[in-house]
Amino acid sequence: MATERTLSIIKPDATRRNLTGKVNSKFEAAGLRIVAQKRLRLTRAQAEAFYEVHRSRPFFDSLCTFMTSGPVVVQVLEGDNAVAKNREVMGATDPAKAAPGTVRKELAESIEANSVHGSDSLDNAAKEIAFFFAETEIVR
Ligand code: AMP
């Protein structure tokens, strides 16, 4: 299996409820290693740039407002098939549809306030990691 890196964001609904450690323990239990991590408050411009692909969606404005409503924790996760594995650990976008045991099933508040983001492909993972981290900040 290929070792991959993926970008994860613990969203404001989860940091507000002090759930960073609970989310991280799920990543680690699944064999994902947190090789970079920082807590920050996204600016509106950063949120809009990060979610640029969703600009035409009806939820874009609300999503950017939510993502700037409190601190986030941005992370690089590394491991075998990390992109797909992280998406398994997160569960479906809509917590009502997420499988038992997933982060979103157990912790998410709504389809928007769904506690975590994870890259959806290896290509996007590389772009999203570079959005937040310099290579020197990622330490395996
Ligand atoms: P993704 O790029 O797949 O992470 O999707 C962007 C984010 O937008 C999701 O993780 C949700 O936070 C939010 N989102 C996606 N679909 C909806 C929706 N139908 N209504 C509200 N928010 C949504």
Side-chain angles (χ1 to χ4, degrees), residues 40-50 64 67-68 131:
L40 51 90
R41 181 94 179 237
L42 290 175
T43 63
R44 181 83 192 184
Q46 280 177 310
E48 290 188 3
F50 186 79
C64 291
M67 289 298 289
T68 56
F131 188 93

Side-chain angles (χ1 to χ4, degrees), residues 110-133:
S110 68
I111 192 168
E112 177 177 86
N114 61 0
S115 301
V116 279
H117 165 86
S119 308
D120 65 0
S121 68
L122 207 46
D123 271 3
N124 281 338
K127 289 178 195 149
E128 291 179 359
I129 289 168
F131 188 93
F132 287 111
F133 292 97

Side-chain angles (χ1 to χ4, degrees), residues 87-104:
R87 292 180 72 81
E88 253 178 62
V89 174
M90 290 193 302
T93 305
D94 181 353
K97 295 179 184 156
T102 59
V103 172
R104 285 168 170 161

Side-chain angles (χ1 to χ4, degrees), residues 13 18 20 25 33 48-49 56 68 75 83 110 114-115 119 123:
D13 66 289
N18 210 22
T20 299
S25 70
R33 188 170 288 270
E48 290 188 3
S56 62
T68 56
Q75 319 172 289
V83 172
S110 68
N114 61 0
S115 301
S119 308
D123 271 3

Side-chain angles (χ1 to χ4, degrees), residues 22-108:
K22 203 167 217 173
V23 174
N24 281 348
S25 70
K26 284 196 169 285
F27 294 147
E28 292 181 343
L32 292 164
R33 188 170 288 270
I34 301 162
V35 294
Q37 176 167 260
K38 56 190 170 191
R39 181 176 168 105
L40 51 90
R41 181 94 179 237
L42 290 175
T43 63
R44 181 83 192 184
Q46 280 177 310
E48 290 188 3
F50 186 79
Y51 282 117
E52 183 61 35
V53 293
H54 295 310
R55 188 172 284 277
S56 62
R57 303 281 192 92
F59 57 80
F60 179 75
D61 195 56
S62 172
L63 174 62
C64 291
T65 298
F66 163 63
M67 289 298 289
T68 56
S69 68
V72 297
V73 177
V74 295
Q75 319 172 289
V76 180
L77 307 180
E78 185 178 273
D80 289 338
N81 292 323
V83 172
K85 187 172 284 178
N86 183 37
R87 292 180 72 81
E88 253 178 62
V89 174
M90 290 193 302
T93 305
D94 181 353
K97 295 179 184 156
T102 59
V103 172
R104 285 168 170 161
K105 182 68 176 185
E106 290 187 4
L107 306 177

